[in-house]
Amino acid sequence: MGDSSDSTSIDMESASISPKEHFVKTSYGFVSVAIYGDQDKPALVTYPDIALNHNSCFQGLFLCPEAFSMLIHNFCIYHISPPGHELGADVMSYNDPVLSVDDLADQVAEVLDYFGLGAVMCMGVTAGAYILTLFAIKYTRRVIGLILVSPLCRAPSWTEWLCNKLMANILYYYGMCGLVKELLLIRYFSKEVRGGAIIPETELVHSCRRLLDDRQGPNVLNFLEAMNGRPDITEGLKRLQCRSLIFVGENSPFNSDSLHMTSKLDRRFSALVEVQGCGSIVTEEQPDAMLIPLEYFLMGYGFYRPSQMNVSPRSPLSPKSISPELYTPESMGLKLKPIKTRHSQY
């Protein structure tokens, strides 16, 4: 991707460079991995929510110049797509065995082995956050940090289970029809951006709806059924040996699940950012709200912005350029708990 030297002044042309896409053969079938950046740098692994891939789940965050410059300066990005969720994916057979969430977490480990990666930073959204959390529980030494967006750690509630069952039945008989898309958009976004009878939906939602047109019903069904059969991993959170940063939208259907997960993590090494007026996919709906917490979190690992970049006033590395009364979580629509930046001793 773009030049990673300290003399960078990131322009968004570098953001538009196509990734290197690999199809990695694992014990559970092939999986698509899109790679951005210098593979000699530390790895940041991403995993999206159901029916999404990196183009529809992380693009908003990576199109923020500040976020892009910070992440691509410090990391090589490995976007893992759930099986069959990459662009142009073939249709899976309804007779193919459904991978469990354990299988998907083990598949992540095999992807890391394929690229010769050791310990990685992880970023996941909702279902993807669950998969990467499970991966971190099973392979504790392979994760240095978790950045989780509207994460889950409990088994589905009856409400979620019934909604997923309804969606699964519609997918089986009718594929990615309009009703499935509406249910997914409710899962992803707040009502404010989805619009209604009087207020039209935003371009963000319209774009996501178009991207969902490319998803194959059987492929989405497999990931949905895996997540609908997920176990409660709350007790496993005690085994985590990394720090965690959790974002959740105030209006996310999974807000209570994310708050529950936060309450079970070691408060010395975790932080919660609750974004007001936002749905589940903060990376797309309000990516700007992630910038300051992300930067402080990564500074705890010694990661930093390019030193000669013209940083935004939002950056904590240039605090003199913004008045103190504006530089508060409340003014940005955030509910932020302090992040402990010292390393865990295990």
Side-chain angles (χ1 to χ4, degrees):
M1 295 200 61
D3 186 2
S4 62
S5 68
D6 280 350
S7 61
T8 185
S9 177
I10 292 293
D11 60 69
M12 293 317 294
E13 287 185 10
S14 57
S16 64
I17 296 176
S18 298
K20 294 176 286 186
E21 187 169 16
H22 299 255
F23 287 90
V24 179
K25 185 177 182 180
T26 72
S27 303
Y28 308 96
F30 285 90
V31 62
S32 169
V33 184
I35 302 177
Y36 287 85
D38 181 353
Q39 289 183 248
D40 289 333
K41 292 183 177 181
L44 170 64
V45 172
T46 75
Y47 210 104
D49 194 19
I50 291 169
L52 301 178
N53 54 38
H54 69 277
N55 288 309
S56 47
C57 196
F58 299 101
Q59 183 170 258
L61 177 64
F62 280 84
L63 284 179
C64 290
E66 298 96 333
F68 180 80
S69 65
M70 176 172 56
L71 294 174
I72 207 67
H73 179 72
N74 291 293
F75 297 102
C76 180
I77 317 298
Y78 294 77
H79 291 299
I80 300 177
S81 291
H85 280 53
E86 68 275 7
L87 289 174
D90 293 331
V91 182
M92 294 178 172
S93 169
Y94 284 114
N95 297 321
D96 288 345
V98 175
L99 298 182
S100 69
V101 289
D102 276 289
D103 295 334
L104 294 172
D106 291 339
Q107 189 176 58
V108 172
E110 291 194 26
V111 168
L112 267 57
D113 291 340
Y114 177 85
F115 291 107
L117 301 176
V120 300
M121 184 73 69
C122 292
M123 179 187 294
V125 176
T126 311
Y130 178 95
I131 298 299
L132 292 180
T133 301
L134 180 58
F135 168 71
I137 291 170
K138 297 181 72 171
Y139 302 90
T140 54
R141 296 185 181 277
R142 305 200 71 171
V143 179
I144 61 172
L146 287 169
I147 302 166
L148 306 174
V149 180
S150 304
L152 310 167
C153 69
R154 293 185 289 197
S157 64
W158 277 109
T159 303
E160 184 193 349
W161 188 88
L162 286 171
C163 180
N164 288 346
K165 265 298 180 187
L166 170 64
M167 194 158 30
N169 287 333
I170 298 172
L171 277 167
Y172 184 83
Y173 288 106
Y174 302 103
M176 287 293 291
C177 63
L179 179 55
V180 170
K181 293 175 192 172
E182 290 302 325
L183 291 171
L184 288 170
L185 292 172
I186 291 170
R187 173 189 178 95
Y188 303 152
F189 301 114
S190 65
K191 192 175 186 303
E192 287 74 13
V193 298
R194 293 199 317 273
I198 301 175
I199 303 173
E201 68 183 22
T202 62
E203 180 58 31
L204 169 65
V205 176
H206 187 60
S207 296
C208 185
R209 189 188 298 276
R210 288 199 307 268
L211 289 167
L212 290 174
D213 288 338
D214 296 328
R215 295 285 80 78
Q216 304 290 354
N219 307 9
V220 174
L221 176 61
N222 283 354
F223 193 16
L224 179 65
E225 290 191 332
M227 286 303 298
N228 216 29
R230 70 183 186 267
D232 189 317
I233 57 173
T234 301
E235 285 301 309
L237 298 177
K238 297 174 182 177
R239 299 203 297 274
L240 290 177
Q241 298 184 16
C242 62
R243 288 181 291 152
S244 306
L245 174 60
I246 293 178
F247 296 91
V248 62
E250 180 184 40
N251 298 328
S252 167
F254 307 106
N255 181 278
S256 62
D257 293 88
S258 300
L259 297 181
H260 165 79
M261 181 172 179
T262 305
S263 71
K264 300 302 180 181
L265 292 170
D266 189 331
R267 295 187 179 184
R268 296 172 299 166
F269 311 112
S270 62
L272 169 69
V273 181
E274 189 173 13
V275 184
Q276 296 176 0
C278 188
S280 297
I281 309 185
V282 184
T283 49
E284 292 292 323
E285 190 170 339
Q286 292 195 38
D288 285 354
M290 299 179 65
L291 296 177
I292 289 176
L294 260 181
E295 194 157 3
Y296 276 124
F297 182 71
L298 295 177
M299 284 168 63
Y301 291 88
F303 296 124
Y304 55 92
R305 284 183 185 276
S307 59
Q308 296 180 27
M309 180 185 173
N310 294 323
V311 292
S312 162
R314 290 175 294 198
S315 167
L317 300 187
S318 56
K320 294 181 180 178
S321 59
I322 188 167
S323 58
E325 63 271 15
L326 295 179
Y327 190 68
T328 63
E330 292 79 8
S331 69
M332 299 180 64
L334 306 180
K335 299 175 183 177
L336 176 61
K337 294 183 179 180
I339 301 172
K340 301 294 185 181
T341 56
R342 67 185 180 87
H343 288 280
S344 171
Q345 302 295 321
Y346 287 96

